[in-house]
Amino acid sequence: MSYLQLGRVVRSVDSLLRQRQGIRDFTDDAECLFRISLARLPGNLSLSDGTAIGEGDPVIELHLWNEHLPAMPDAGPSPAWAVRLARQTAKSLFLLDHYLEREPALDDVAGLFGLPPFGSRIGEVQMARTGKRFGFELLDGGQDGTVHMVFDSMLLWGLGWTFNRPALRSKTWLRHRYRLWISRAGLHARYHDWRPGPASNRH
């Protein structure tokens, strides 16, 4: 299989999985880093700001929009790349907050979470620190199960190879996912009035 054919296969699998999981765009902004899907909480959850989410309540899951990730330099992460990634992340959450305001069907959503991958379980501390920078908290270790992790890692590698190949150089093959949460109220308070520029760097 050629590199071109492999890229097409990865894109097709990614598109199929998005359809099956109900993952959709909420903006056409080319800098947005997230797509979303609606899920139901499998158990009760309490966030640090006092938000309580009950079993079966609707929550929003964030999914990386791979095509919109800033390309990592061939030499690896640079300060300019990190600044751009942070700005796009904040802007994406700003766009999401305003989208939620316009969607009455999502009024019952009290929390949002993402499952970002990391190359080692030792990275849990770093993941918690990164999440906190954007207002998220790490509440559990994410998805378990060796078989699921292996297949998930294969897909992540394929997506990285297709959309952002230089980023693979600094990552191990096997990836763990960590569950980061932010309340709807926390998202609104932190990002509703976000603006690009020096003031946004506090995030």
Side-chain angles (χ1 to χ4, degrees):
M1 179 181 294
S2 69
Y3 287 160
L4 181 60
Q5 290 173 321
L6 178 59
R8 288 173 178 168
V9 169
V10 171
R11 289 174 185 272
S12 296
V13 171
D14 185 43
S15 177
L16 177 61
L17 289 176
R18 289 202 313 270
Q19 292 177 28
R20 292 188 62 179
Q21 296 173 25
I23 300 172
R24 65 180 187 272
D25 307 346
F26 62 89
T27 177
D28 58 1
D29 193 302
E31 288 194 313
C32 182
L33 294 180
F34 303 121
R35 293 179 167 113
I36 61 171
S37 64
L38 194 63
R40 296 282 175 178
L41 193 67
N44 297 322
L45 182 71
S46 296
L47 303 182
S48 60
D49 65 357
T51 297
I53 310 175
E55 182 177 355
D57 287 351
V59 291
I60 284 178
E61 182 174 355
L62 306 178
H63 305 266
L64 278 179
W65 196 331
N66 294 287
E67 296 91 330
H68 290 181
L69 285 169
M72 185 177 290
D74 289 339
S78 67
W81 176 85
V83 168
R84 180 180 176 187
L85 181 64
R87 185 185 65 81
Q88 280 191 238
T89 300
K91 181 179 181 180
S92 302
L93 295 169
F94 162 81
L95 292 170
L96 180 55
D97 174 68
H98 284 263
Y99 170 77
L100 292 177
E101 282 193 317
R102 301 190 304 269
E103 288 295 323
L106 298 176
D107 284 349
D108 291 339
V109 169
L112 307 90
F113 74 97
L115 287 164
F118 206 85
S120 168
R121 291 195 182 279
I122 300 175
E124 184 171 334
V125 174
Q126 183 177 346
M127 184 61 70
R129 185 184 304 119
T130 301
K132 185 177 180 180
R133 181 184 179 194
F134 294 99
F136 288 76
E137 56 187 300
L138 179 65
L139 293 186
D140 58 55
Q143 297 177 348
D144 296 322
T146 302
V147 174
H148 179 276
M149 186 170 61
V150 168
F151 281 101
D152 189 45
S153 297
M154 291 172 62
L155 177 60
L156 288 169
W157 186 91
L159 291 170
W161 187 91
T162 302
F163 296 109
N164 204 351
R165 206 170 304 173
L168 294 177
R169 297 177 183 175
S170 60
K171 291 180 171 62
T172 59
W173 181 81
L174 197 60
R175 314 290 295 283
H176 303 277
R177 287 188 181 269
Y178 297 92
R179 198 180 305 271
L180 295 174
W181 282 90
I182 188 170
S183 68
R184 169 82 168 268
L187 177 77
H188 183 75
R190 192 177 183 94
Y191 292 102
H192 183 74
D193 296 322
W194 176 86
R195 293 293 183 273
S200 68
N201 291 336
R202 68 180 183 274
H203 298 311

